[in-house]
Amino acid sequence: MPKAGAPTIEGLIRKLNTYLPNGSEALVRKAYDVANQAHSGQTRFSGEPYIWHCLAAADILADMGMDAPTVAAGLLHDVAEDTPVNVEELRQTFGDEIARLVEGVTKLTRLEARSPEDAEAESLRKMFLAMAEDIRVVLIKLADRLHNMRTLGSLPPARRKHIAQETLEIFAPLANRLGMWQIKAELEDLALRHLEPDRFEEIRRLLNQRKVQRQAYINRVIDILKQKLAEEGIQGDITGRPKHIYSIYRKMQRKGVGFDQIYDVHAMRIIVPEVRDCYAALGIVHAMWRPIPGEFDDYIASPKENLYQSLHTAVVGPEGRPLEIQIRTPEMHQVAEYGIAAHWRYKEQRKPRDASLEEKIRWLRQLMEWRREISSAEEFVTSLKTDVFQDQVYVFTPKGDIIDLPAGATPIDFAYHIHTDIGHRCRGAKVNGRMVPLDYQLKTGDQVEIITAKHGNPSRDWLNPHLGFVNTSRAREKIRQWFRRQERDENIAEGREVLDKELRRLGLERESYEEIAKLFKYEKVDDFLAAIGAGDINPQHISTRIAESQEVEEELALPEVAPPRPLAVEGVTVTGVGDLLTRVAQCCNPLPDDDVIGFVTRGRGITIHRRDCPNMLHADKNRKIEIRWGSDNHQTYPVLIRVMAYDRPGLVRDIADIVAGEGVNMAAASAITNKKDHTAVVTATLEVRSMNQLSRILNKVDRLPNVVEARRQVG
């Protein structure tokens, strides 16, 4: 006898009978019998029978109004993964449709991949590719993930955080792109509950404290609206629209304000019978209360890509309080809550193929292209996060066609979206009739015209993330493909030049090619250099990987041209000793990510030197001590950079602008010019947090007009 509230097959059948035709019950019962037998004796971390999870996932699918094969597949979704029953046996028992749906959500085993991380990425890629052919695959996965998130508390803390983070990065944005607001909101709230429990509880407590006052105000507004709508002969269902906790949290983060400054905006929803009633209701609202400028959106005339339709407005309501209002029809509300899943409700009453649905989810079909273009599963998942799940901007071609791109996309991203050859030959761009730099970030409404060369090739600089030329995985992969087709010898030579330049720039010339290649799991240096030359590895990868590999990290400072400025260093661990006073040496300029060693001074604690510092080569061995850096990401360290350039007005100002743009303080700067050859050497002390930040600044300075070389000065 199941405990109270536990899901049962009878409860599921009753729910299905409210909307599915006769004959569906037999299929679902059969699926339950097979799943119950297969999972017999299995329990979850909570100790509950495993079949409860399968029933709960199927119940969520029934709430979405899904068809019988999908609900049956929901019951069977873990059978092929966690029991001896395989997909072929399911195919023989239930047919190809249900077997294909189950196979789409079945994870790869770790034996099929090199590591658990690879298996996870490959499983996600497999699911998304199956989803592009049959969207019901991802609806089953969302139901599975939603119930897992509801019951996440029984898992170990580390596993909880991993699943919650993945939910926030992959599954909640996916639900959003599918228009499934209800699922998205619950996934986000549940993820926040496990990732930042204190903030979650704080917001929930504040919401509960003001629930009575908020509801009283909303009730007054509802009474006013109902009376006005009735006077105009409009029947409307008016409710308060709850803001979910994660949306409040995100707004607090984005605006840098507290709860009091966020939740003074009350939210209402008006549901009216017809589209014409939506606009009539909008007129009534605007006649009663003053609209807030810039806060009106007509998603009925211009629906969102995820099928969403509604009128949005914000007004100054009674008592001078801001009031957000959404106006829609019952059909629009159904789609707003369940998105694409709503198209399965009452399916038998429509044509077998919903043409509008097929058109509006065309972006899913585009995912199939990644099967041919991306070989790495990790890159595939990254591309989803950057190209599919980010906020979108909508821009126009010169002919007026609308192109949607992820926020942050540049003219080069636009060019590659139009055609690979246009991307390769891109040499400039006009936005709204004006020339813009190629790293310009496009905005919704921009009209973009690409200027191409008759013959042209992509630049390797486009692959350098520090420079911001390309921000979509699609464009990056096209560029890499071009470089891979070039001659291997050419790529090796180019790779050597890029590596030398980056190591020289960071003051790491003594680093071994072989050791760096091993960090990237290349046995042969030439293969490693060819990968750099082909664009598969860029300067940011190099600086980041070196930083990650150094168990011992260090810091930079000025040479001893003036009395040394003591710099206490937080987070340094001295092997075998408790907390001691530590400071950086000013003879070798150590920086976090350098290989370092400590030197015990007389009366001044421990001085941190680069391990290859000349002063350490002949120092007393008995006074050397092993140290390593902690993980304090907030402390900054002075680092000396040297910029060689042909002299021109504004050179130092341009360098300072780049440094300030990275949020880095320039503690000192000087310039020496040579009138004979019109050259200049600029030295500056920057207070940086990491090697990666330094690399990013030097890359940008290196691209300034007249600059010959920008590098870190080590000694």
Side-chain angles (χ1 to χ4, degrees):
M1 195 63 187
K3 70 176 184 181
T8 64
I9 184 59
E10 297 305 328
L12 176 62
I13 293 297
R14 282 195 298 272
K15 187 175 290 187
L16 295 176
N17 283 339
T18 63
Y19 71 90
L20 284 181
N22 293 332
S24 302
E25 179 179 336
L27 174 64
V28 174
R29 283 191 183 277
K30 183 178 179 181
Y32 169 76
D33 290 339
V34 171
N36 193 29
Q37 179 63 35
H39 290 295
S40 177
Q42 292 183 351
T43 57
R44 308 188 80 209
F45 265 93
S46 61
E48 296 174 345
Y50 200 93
I51 192 64
W52 288 10
H53 167 66
C54 305
L55 279 165
D59 194 67
I60 292 169
L61 291 167
D63 286 335
M64 296 180 194
M66 297 307 299
D67 57 11
T70 310
V71 175
L75 287 165
L76 296 162
H77 76 272
D78 276 336
V79 165
E81 185 178 327
D82 295 331
T83 80
V85 179
N86 59 39
V87 172
E88 280 309 311
E89 291 175 82
L90 293 179
R91 184 171 283 110
Q92 292 170 13
T93 306
F94 295 98
D96 187 61
E97 181 182 14
I98 290 176
R100 190 176 66 248
L101 292 173
V102 172
E103 185 176 27
V105 295
T106 300
K107 296 176 184 176
L108 298 176
T109 66
R110 295 186 181 185
L111 298 177
E112 297 174 86
R114 291 172 297 174
S115 68
E117 292 76 16
D118 288 339
E120 197 165 355
E122 286 285 3
S123 295
L124 281 170
R125 173 159 69 170
K126 172 174 171 281
M127 182 195 72
F128 278 104
L129 293 174
M131 176 188 79
E133 296 173 356
D134 191 331
I135 198 170
R136 292 176 296 173
V137 167
V138 82
L139 300 182
I140 296 168
K141 186 62 182 178
L142 285 173
D144 169 54
R145 178 54 61 110
L146 181 56
H147 184 252
N148 281 334
M149 290 299 295
R150 288 173 177 173
T151 56
L152 201 58
S154 58
L155 294 182
R159 186 68 181 149
R160 287 204 305 265
K161 285 188 178 294
H162 174 78
I163 293 173
Q165 190 65 44
E166 184 184 58
T167 298
L168 211 52
E169 292 180 354
I170 297 287
F171 292 100
L174 178 60
N176 182 54
R177 279 303 292 260
L178 297 175
M180 304 170 73
W181 184 88
Q182 194 175 70
I183 304 292
K184 165 191 175 285
E186 188 174 354
L187 286 174
E188 287 177 339
D189 282 357
L190 290 169
L192 182 65
R193 181 180 183 177
H194 292 283
L195 290 172
E196 297 206 34
D198 293 341
R199 298 303 300 276
F200 177 86
E201 289 300 330
E202 177 192 5
I203 295 171
R204 185 165 69 170
R205 177 176 51 79
L206 290 169
L207 284 174
N208 288 335
Q209 283 177 357
R210 304 186 187 181
K211 188 174 182 179
V212 174
Q213 301 96 308
R214 187 170 65 251
Q215 193 58 51
Y217 178 79
I218 287 173
N219 289 341
R220 290 198 299 276
V221 174
I222 289 174
D223 290 341
I224 295 170
L225 283 170
K226 278 187 175 178
Q227 181 180 344
K228 290 293 183 181
L229 289 176
E231 289 173 4
E232 298 296 328
I234 299 173
Q235 291 183 335
D237 180 21
I238 307 169
T239 58
R241 177 173 62 85
K243 283 175 175 279
H244 66 294
I245 293 174
Y246 183 76
S247 71
I248 297 170
Y249 166 80
R250 285 285 293 155
K251 192 170 282 190
M252 289 168 63
Q253 295 287 99
R254 189 167 60 249
K255 295 188 174 184
V257 297
F259 179 87
D260 287 340
Q261 295 165 274
I262 292 295
Y263 210 68
D264 58 352
V265 180
H266 295 74
M268 309 290 298
R269 181 176 293 130
I270 303 173
I271 299 177
V272 291
E274 303 289 341
V275 171
R276 64 174 177 268
D277 298 328
C278 293
Y279 291 97
L282 178 70
I284 292 169
V285 169
H286 282 180
M288 282 195 300
W289 300 307
R290 179 172 60 82
I292 297 173
E295 294 296 322
F296 171 67
D297 290 295
D298 186 347
Y299 294 118
I300 294 179
S302 301
K304 290 186 178 182
E305 192 177 29
N306 62 12
L307 316 178
Y308 179 87
Q309 288 184 289
S310 192
L311 296 177
H312 287 197
T313 190
V315 297
V316 179
E319 303 172 22
R321 299 186 188 183
L323 189 62
E324 292 179 352
I325 299 177
Q326 297 174 348
I327 308 171
R328 59 177 71 138
T329 67
E331 293 78 12
M332 293 174 190
H333 182 62
Q334 194 68 37
V335 172
E337 294 295 294
Y338 291 105
I340 283 174
H343 284 254
W344 270 268
R345 286 185 179 270
Y346 318 113
K347 186 176 181 181
E348 282 67 24
Q349 299 174 16
R350 304 192 315 267
K351 296 177 183 178
R353 189 176 183 84
D354 188 334
S356 66
L357 174 64
E358 292 294 324
E359 171 62 24
K360 289 178 179 178
I361 61 170
R362 58 184 170 76
W363 63 272
L364 284 175
R365 313 300 176 202
Q366 295 172 1
L367 290 177
M368 293 301 291
E369 296 179 20
W370 299 110
R371 189 198 298 271
R372 299 186 298 271
E373 295 176 6
I374 294 184
S375 57
S376 162
E378 184 180 353
E379 178 70 16
F380 179 90
V381 174
T382 300
S383 76
L384 291 174
K385 294 177 184 178
T386 58
D387 295 4
V388 179
F389 296 152
Q390 276 192 356
D391 293 336
Q392 302 289 296
V393 294
Y394 299 89
V395 297
F396 296 90
T397 68
K399 293 181 179 179
D401 296 329
I402 298 177
I403 303 294
D404 65 295
L405 294 166
T410 66
I412 297 177
D413 293 312
F414 175 89
Y416 276 102
H417 186 93
I418 298 300
H419 195 278
T420 301
D421 188 53
I422 292 175
H424 290 342
R425 295 189 291 115
C426 175
R427 290 299 174 268
K430 288 183 179 180
V431 172
N432 304 324
R434 300 178 61 183
M435 291 294 296
V436 297
L438 289 177
D439 61 355
Y440 170 85
Q441 294 195 356
L442 300 173
K443 300 176 180 62
T444 292
D446 283 345
Q447 186 180 63
V448 187
E449 179 185 350
I450 300 298
I451 299 167
T452 58
K454 190 172 183 179
H455 303 287
N457 302 323
S459 165
R460 280 189 173 85
D461 283 341
W462 294 357
L463 291 173
N464 189 336
H466 294 325
L467 304 179
F469 286 121
V470 171
N471 288 317
T472 65
S473 293
R474 185 189 192 97
R476 276 195 296 271
E477 186 63 22
K478 297 283 190 184
I479 297 166
R480 287 172 184 155
Q481 286 175 0
W482 190 90
F483 283 114
R484 287 190 197 108
R485 288 194 294 268
Q486 306 309 300
E487 291 294 330
R488 177 177 167 83
D489 289 346
E490 181 183 336
N491 279 336
I492 290 173
E494 182 67 29
R496 181 175 282 106
E497 184 177 334
V498 170
L499 180 60
D500 283 344
K501 187 174 184 179
E502 185 64 13
L503 294 179
R504 187 168 63 251
R505 183 180 282 148
L506 298 174
L508 300 174
E509 296 100 318
R510 296 181 181 89
E511 295 288 333
S512 159
Y513 281 8
E514 289 79 6
E515 292 302 318
I516 298 175
K518 287 177 182 176
L519 296 179
F520 288 86
K521 296 183 168 50
Y522 283 91
E523 293 298 324
K524 296 181 179 178
V525 171
D526 279 359
D527 292 342
F528 173 58
L529 297 175
I532 298 174
D536 293 335
I537 299 171
N538 62 49
Q540 182 186 13
H541 293 148
I542 295 168
S543 61
T544 301
R545 193 63 60 87
I546 291 174
E548 290 173 350
S549 73
Q550 298 289 358
E551 212 178 73
V552 185
E553 296 187 337
E554 237 179 81
E555 174 191 18
L556 284 172
L558 292 169
E560 295 202 41
V561 293
R565 179 167 67 92
L567 177 66
V569 183
E570 298 175 9
V572 174
T573 300
V574 181
T575 304
V577 186
D579 291 339
L580 293 175
L581 173 65
T582 54
R583 52 186 173 179
V584 298
Q586 298 183 333
C587 55
C588 57
N589 303 333
L591 179 73
D593 311 328
D594 289 335
D595 190 13
V596 293
I597 194 162
F599 184 76
V600 181
T601 64
R602 292 186 173 90
R604 290 185 300 161
I606 295 174
T607 303
I608 306 169
H609 292 259
R610 285 170 58 107
R611 197 174 291 271
D612 59 5
C613 173
N615 289 337
M616 288 295 99
L617 296 179
H618 305 292
D620 184 351
K621 293 180 181 179
N622 295 323
R623 293 171 62 187
K624 291 182 184 179
I625 191 166
E626 293 295 325
I627 60 173
R628 61 184 176 83
W629 294 84
S631 56
D632 182 3
N633 296 322
H634 302 291
Q635 185 169 353
T636 60
Y637 309 93
V639 52
L640 190 66
I641 68 167
R642 177 184 177 90
V643 182
M644 291 173 283
Y646 291 105
D647 196 20
R648 64 172 175 83
L651 176 63
V652 175
R653 181 199 61 215
D654 290 348
I655 295 171
D657 286 347
I658 288 174
V659 173
E662 286 292 322
V664 169
N665 182 48
M666 184 184 289
S670 64
I672 300 174
T673 59
N674 187 326
K675 300 296 184 184
K676 292 182 180 179
D677 59 8
H678 304 288
T679 59
V681 175
V682 179
T683 55
T685 303
L686 313 182
E687 295 181 348
V688 300
R689 289 188 297 275
S690 67
M691 184 80 79
N692 211 352
Q693 187 177 51
L694 175 63
S695 174
R696 190 162 58 246
I697 292 170
L698 292 175
N699 268 280
K700 292 182 177 180
V701 171
D702 203 38
R703 292 190 56 79
L704 286 173
N706 289 26
V707 169
V708 177
E709 183 182 49
R711 59 174 295 180
R712 168 190 179 190
Q713 185 162 311
V714 177

